[in-house]
Amino acid sequence: MSRDWQQELASLRITPYYQRMSTENEILAEVEALKGKFSDTKALYREVCALLFFRYGITPTTNKLYQYVRKGTMGTPAEALAKFWDELRGKARIEIDHPDLPQDIKTVAAEAIAAIWQQATAAARSELAVIREDLQAATATAKHREAEAQAAAERAAAETGRVNALLLQCQRDLEAERLATAGIQSRLAQQEQQLEEQRSLNKQLQERFSNELEKARTAVEAAHDRAAAAEKRALLEVEHERQARIKADRTTETLRGQLAQAEARERDSALRHTEAYTRLQANLSAAEAARESALTEGRALTQRLAELEQRLEAANQDSMRHRMEASMAKELIARMAPPEQKAQSKPARKRVAK
């Protein structure tokens, strides 16, 4: 009977690699939990034997037990494994102790009950295998969807990085345009300073002309009484001053024309600066809109990932429910055994359940 169980359980272990790794991680976690419950090394090895054989359908060996527990010497798991097989063979052996029945009838009845128990155990394990396959398939699907969500999140992050790089480039262009504008404003300030210097010079010329004209008038009035010659000389001086004034007026008009040209250049430069600033503002608005769209898509992907995690949690709850159903099936099998066998095997089963 033990060999049949070993062959049946060995067939259940033909699973994909990632499923075996998941089972291995679960076994390691439960062994660590048993280490906290059992301080005695031999008792710990017996519990690990029961865990591997009854819960995971794995035939325990000395090397595998020591690989999981790693306590004591190699003789300790060998001794615990021998006692486990002895106890299991004692539980599997069915004896009908009734003084009124012949030995042949006892043997036939015992074999019939053993066969029923074996068939019930096989049916329960078959159902448990189906439940495990469904759970593993659901877990694989959830992991695949989680990988897709992660890939989508990475694509959204890459798009966000691209938008941020574009925004940074726009900011750099805007800073360059600001520097160019600052240079233009600096040149305008220099031109305004030169114009102000020219106006100051013109004012000085006008003041000097006014002073000299006043002196000439004074001289003319003073010389008017002296002689006609002096008057003629004065008139000549006045004419000379008038020509100087005409020349000063022409210089003023020239400076005004230069000032108008400088103001026109300043207006053209300001207009170009305004157009460039408008283009940069439009590019910046487009980059902000693209960034907001990428963030919205990232939030949608995060919500989808949360939904997948909830589905995985539901699959884990279904797995727990299937395990409880398997445990109830085992109890039903135990109830089908004869009363004498239940009375003899009840203490041993409680010890295994620990």
Side-chain angles (χ1 to χ4, degrees), residues 274-349:
T274 302
E275 292 176 352
Y277 182 78
T278 303
R279 289 194 301 272
L280 290 176
Q281 284 293 108
N283 293 335
L284 182 60
S285 298
E288 288 291 339
R291 178 174 178 272
E292 185 65 26
S293 177
L295 291 176
T296 303
E297 184 179 357
R299 287 193 292 269
L301 292 174
T302 302
Q303 183 178 2
R304 184 179 177 188
L305 180 59
E307 292 176 358
L308 292 176
E309 291 177 350
Q310 291 178 358
R311 293 181 181 176
L312 181 59
E313 181 65 22
N316 291 331
Q317 292 178 1
D318 291 340
S319 173
M320 182 62 69
R321 180 173 57 82
H322 293 328
R323 290 184 181 177
M324 292 177 63
E325 291 176 358
S327 176
M328 293 174 63
K330 289 181 179 180
E331 293 180 0
L332 180 60
I333 293 169
R335 293 175 183 175
M336 293 174 63
E340 292 83 1
Q341 183 186 0
K342 290 195 290 185
Q344 293 175 3
S345 61
K346 185 175 182 180
R349 288 179 179 172

Side-chain angles (χ1 to χ4, degrees), residues 214-254:
E214 186 66 25
K215 291 179 181 179
R217 287 176 179 176
T218 303
V220 168
E221 290 178 356
H224 182 70
D225 297 333
R226 289 193 295 268
E231 183 178 2
K232 185 177 180 180
R233 189 172 54 252
L235 291 175
L236 291 174
E237 289 180 357
V238 170
E239 183 65 19
H240 177 73
E241 291 297 332
R242 189 177 66 80
Q243 294 295 331
R245 182 174 180 179
I246 292 173
K247 185 178 181 180
D249 291 339
R250 290 176 180 176
T251 302
T252 302
E253 290 297 327
T254 302

Side-chain angles (χ1 to χ4, degrees), residues 143-156 301 305 308:
K143 289 183 178 179
H144 179 68
R145 291 178 179 176
E146 183 179 0
E148 290 180 350
Q150 183 66 26
E154 291 177 356
R155 290 194 300 270
L301 292 174
L305 180 59
L308 292 176

